[in-house]
Amino acid sequence: EFYLIIGLAVLLGLVKTSQPKYFSDLWRAFINPTLGSRQLKDIIQSAMLPNLLMNLFSSVVLGVYVYYFISLNVDWRFVAIPRALVVALLILGMVLVYLSKYMFIQFTGWAFNIRPSAQQYNFNIFLNNKVLGMVLLPFLFCFAFLNAKWTSVLLVISFIILIYFFVNRYLRSWNVFAPFFQNSRFHFFMYLCAFEILPLAVLLKVVFRLF
């Protein structure tokens, strides 16, 4: 855990140091949704290597975060599976969840001839994830190195942050998918269940079944 979290901090530092403009554009796009959708989207997406590294960074951070969440409910002394394997499975699961979501949205854009809307929606999803990964990284340091009595409090605070980013993602994207869902709240609810809640629920169930 120690080396993994340190590695995440080093990766973030390398991206920030080697690509300061990309890093600055990322924050500007997140803070100003209108500017991000119109002027910065193409600039950010054209930086392929930093984009790939930051997407990987966010997936690893989310996987490790879920690991600490699970650790509140599991006594590792009675678990035969190595914790390193659990962390690896969670990270792989996060990568697969967001990769499959990206591919599905891209396919939907192609199938229904709404590629610009699909690309904008994918941009908002991964922009949120990148910033969320940076915000959650200090919490991982706290979970790893602070006294256990602070863990529950920090998890509550971080969970509130997660809710904010979840809501923010859809507020940013409302102009993209509103025409498809505004006449049917049921379809919007089904989308949330199928592509937001269900994949994470399945991932957690698979991990808990290993114990």
Side-chain angles (χ1 to χ4, degrees):
E1 298 171 32
F2 172 80
Y3 293 109
L4 179 59
I5 297 175
I6 294 298
L8 287 171
V10 170
L11 175 60
L12 181 61
L14 287 175
V15 174
K16 187 178 186 303
T17 303
S18 62
Q19 300 287 338
K21 186 178 185 304
Y22 169 84
F23 209 83
S24 174
D25 290 341
L26 199 67
W27 280 104
R28 287 171 60 204
F30 179 78
I31 294 171
N32 191 330
T34 304
L35 182 65
S37 62
R38 293 180 179 177
Q39 299 177 348
L40 297 177
K41 174 176 170 288
D42 292 337
I43 297 175
I44 292 173
Q45 291 185 325
S46 65
M48 297 183 64
L49 181 58
N51 247 339
L52 177 62
L53 291 176
M54 288 303 295
N55 285 332
L56 178 62
F57 167 83
S58 62
S59 296
V60 175
V61 169
L62 288 172
V64 177
Y65 176 84
V66 174
Y67 160 76
Y68 282 115
F69 174 78
I70 292 173
S71 296
L72 278 182
N73 306 290
V74 172
D75 189 340
W76 293 105
R77 294 174 299 176
F78 303 103
V79 177
I81 302 174
R83 285 187 283 181
L85 178 59
V86 175
V87 174
L89 289 174
L90 287 169
I91 292 172
L92 178 61
M94 285 295 173
V95 171
L96 292 176
V97 164
Y98 282 102
L99 180 61
S100 60
K101 181 180 295 188
Y102 173 83
M103 294 176 65
F104 174 80
I105 293 172
Q106 289 293 97
F107 172 77
T108 302
W110 170 81
F112 293 98
N113 196 27
I114 52 171
R115 288 182 179 177
S117 296
Q119 290 172 355
Q120 182 63 44
Y121 185 47
N122 264 330
F123 173 74
N124 287 335
I125 288 176
F126 288 95
L127 175 65
N128 261 268
N129 279 8
K130 293 181 184 78
V131 177
L132 176 61
M134 290 186 278
V135 172
L136 287 182
L137 183 60
F139 285 92
L140 300 188
F141 275 95
C142 293
F143 295 150
F145 304 120
L146 285 185
N147 193 293
K149 68 179 182 180
W150 293 102
T151 302
S152 299
V153 176
L154 291 171
L155 274 174
V156 171
I157 296 173
S158 61
F159 190 70
I160 294 172
I161 293 173
L162 281 171
I163 293 174
Y164 165 77
F165 274 85
F166 185 82
V167 173
N168 180 64
R169 178 198 300 179
Y170 290 101
L171 291 177
R172 296 173 65 95
S173 303
W174 183 247
N175 63 327
V176 176
F177 58 71
F180 305 103
F181 295 122
Q182 63 184 356
N183 295 323
S184 177
R185 291 182 175 84
F186 174 74
H187 287 127
F188 180 61
F189 175 74
M190 291 299 293
Y191 167 80
L192 287 178
C193 292
F195 296 102
E196 297 293 346
I197 300 173
L198 184 60
L200 296 178
V202 170
L203 177 62
L204 288 175
K205 186 173 181 62
V206 169
V207 172
F208 275 114
R209 274 177 166 258
L210 295 174
F211 301 141

